[in-house]
Amino acid sequence: TLTSYLAQGPVYARFSRQAESSCSSNWWLGILQIHNYIYPENPCLTHTWYVACDFQLYLTAPLFLIPLYMRPRLGLLLLATVTTVSTVGAVVNAVVHKMYYGFLPALLVERKIERSNLTDYTGFHFKFPPFLIGIVLGFLIFNYKTNKLDVNSFKKYLWIGWVISTSILAAMMAMTVVLVDPDRKYWPWLDPLSVALSRPLFCLSLSWV
């Protein structure tokens, strides 16, 4: 491949050798955007797993946007249902596999995580909540700009949303400092909840802001 000629540096040679090895055998997975599920431990260009994840989420978008446009209540119910199922599934999966919060750095260094856990990270099935929350946010903004949503009656409650959202963001930043410590022990309740809920909670808080 041309990877070895694209840059240079103290660690680039190792990266380019790994890329050449994986791309020579798994290049077609990247073209089909399925390398986040098939051989995720040895993809062609490791960082592109998120491109595949985004691509798969965008493919599912019409399944939610069309009902949301045709029948908003049904669309919102569908969004809430899928978000809940995906979130609960992420919690259960994290508990069953005893997943550490911030396990990816350890994975990249030591390769101790099973493939099933890796696809839970790189796959889109547990990435639905932030994606769908974004769709709901867009729906609300659209209705507000087209005068279909009156927020004046909710203004007296806005400060509650600000307090909750800023508190969640502050708590997440504080907990991250503790949870990413590679030498700490596994916390049976905090680690799974952090793995499963960190993205939805961050997305909800940021959406409010």
Side-chain angles (χ1 to χ4, degrees):
T1 66
L2 299 176
T3 308
S4 58
Y5 302 101
L6 297 179
Q8 59 182 354
V11 297
Y12 189 76
R14 183 178 62 180
F15 167 79
S16 63
R17 286 195 298 269
Q18 179 184 359
E20 289 178 2
S21 174
S22 58
C23 289
S24 62
S25 57
N26 297 332
W27 58 271
W28 60 278
L29 297 174
I31 293 179
L32 296 177
Q33 296 296 316
I34 56 176
H35 55 291
N36 57 330
Y37 280 103
I38 302 178
Y39 299 122
E41 73 282 359
N42 191 34
C44 178
L45 302 179
T46 306
H47 57 282
T48 60
W49 68 267
Y50 204 87
V51 178
C53 185
D54 277 347
F55 178 77
Q56 292 153 10
L57 287 171
Y58 295 151
L59 286 180
T60 66
L63 300 177
F64 304 100
L65 294 176
I66 293 175
L68 192 61
Y69 177 77
M70 301 296 293
R71 295 187 177 182
R73 290 187 178 181
L74 178 61
L76 290 173
L77 178 61
L78 177 62
L79 288 167
T81 301
V82 175
T83 299
T84 302
V85 170
S86 181
T87 302
V88 172
V91 173
V92 173
N93 179 74
V95 171
V96 171
H97 290 97
K98 296 183 178 180
M99 296 176 68
Y100 278 77
Y101 181 80
F103 72 89
L104 189 60
L107 166 67
L108 296 178
V109 175
E110 301 179 4
R111 299 282 176 175
K112 290 184 178 179
I113 306 299
E114 297 178 0
R115 178 185 293 184
S116 60
N117 291 0
L118 180 55
T119 55
D120 289 339
Y121 185 87
T122 61
F124 77 98
H125 50 289
F126 291 144
K127 299 293 192 299
F128 265 121
F131 180 70
L132 299 184
I133 290 170
I135 290 179
V136 173
L137 176 63
F139 174 75
L140 294 176
I141 293 175
F142 173 78
N143 283 342
Y144 173 74
K145 289 187 174 182
T146 55
N147 298 320
K148 295 180 181 179
L149 179 64
D150 183 17
V151 298
N152 292 324
S153 57
F154 301 101
K155 281 189 175 180
K156 60 182 178 180
Y157 300 109
L158 291 180
W159 66 272
I160 299 177
W162 279 106
V163 170
I164 294 175
S165 61
T166 53
S167 298
I168 290 175
L169 291 174
M172 290 182 64
M173 288 188 290
M175 289 305 300
T176 299
V177 176
V178 177
L179 292 174
V180 297
D181 182 1
D183 297 323
R184 69 176 178 84
K185 294 182 179 180
Y186 175 76
W187 293 353
W189 61 275
L190 186 58
D191 272 297
L193 289 178
S194 299
V195 169
L197 301 180
S198 58
R199 293 183 186 87
L201 288 177
F202 179 80
C203 189
L204 278 174
S205 301
L206 197 62
S207 296
W208 180 267
V209 174

